[in-house]
Amino acid sequence: LEPGAITPINRMGNLALTAALNLLYGVRLSDTQAGLRGIRRALWQRLPLRADRYEVETEVLVRALLAGARVTEVPVTRRPRAHGRSALHGLRDGSRILACMLRLRLGG
């Protein structure tokens, strides 16, 4: 994580969301909101995705976990944004990500 790559408030939110997912799903992931997702086509085609914003990464991850897929983390380096502004709205999108985790945990 390079300096300036993520705001302190977004970093705290990221840590909280990662802790929530780990607790809810009994996994030990270090960062559920960053990185590249690789997924087998056969599994991808079976995932009934509903998300339409930043919670899509969480929905893919959770649905893969629920399907019994193996999740492997590969370290990535976060760098400061070079151009433009992020469309992420921390509180709104963080709430949607948490709601997605809870909805899927409760079988929704």
Side-chain angles (χ1 to χ4, degrees), residues 11-85:
R11 177 76 177 138
M12 288 174 50
N14 184 312
L15 291 170
L17 290 170
T18 295
L21 192 138
N22 285 336
L23 180 66
L24 288 167
Y25 294 94
V27 293
R28 292 183 53 130
L29 300 173
S30 64
D31 189 346
T32 59
Q33 303 305 307
L36 177 67
R37 306 288 196 260
I39 187 167
R40 294 185 190 277
R41 183 179 188 161
L43 176 58
W44 178 260
Q45 291 174 328
R46 294 192 334 252
L47 300 181
L49 302 176
R50 295 179 22 187
D52 60 2
R53 282 194 53 88
Y54 289 100
E55 73 274 17
V56 70
E57 292 94 344
T58 297
E59 185 175 9
V60 169
L61 176 58
V62 167
R63 289 194 185 277
L65 288 168
L66 293 173
R70 180 175 46 112
V71 173
T72 303
E73 290 185 290
V74 177
V76 297
T77 300
R78 287 189 187 196
R79 294 195 169 100
R81 180 176 290 274
H83 303 286
R85 290 184 47 134

Side-chain angles (χ1 to χ4, degrees), residues 9-10 13 17 88-99:
I9 191 78
N10 284 353
L17 290 170
L88 176 77
H89 296 278
L91 187 57
R92 180 180 68 196
D93 290 316
S95 297
R96 289 174 66 125
I97 291 166
L98 181 59

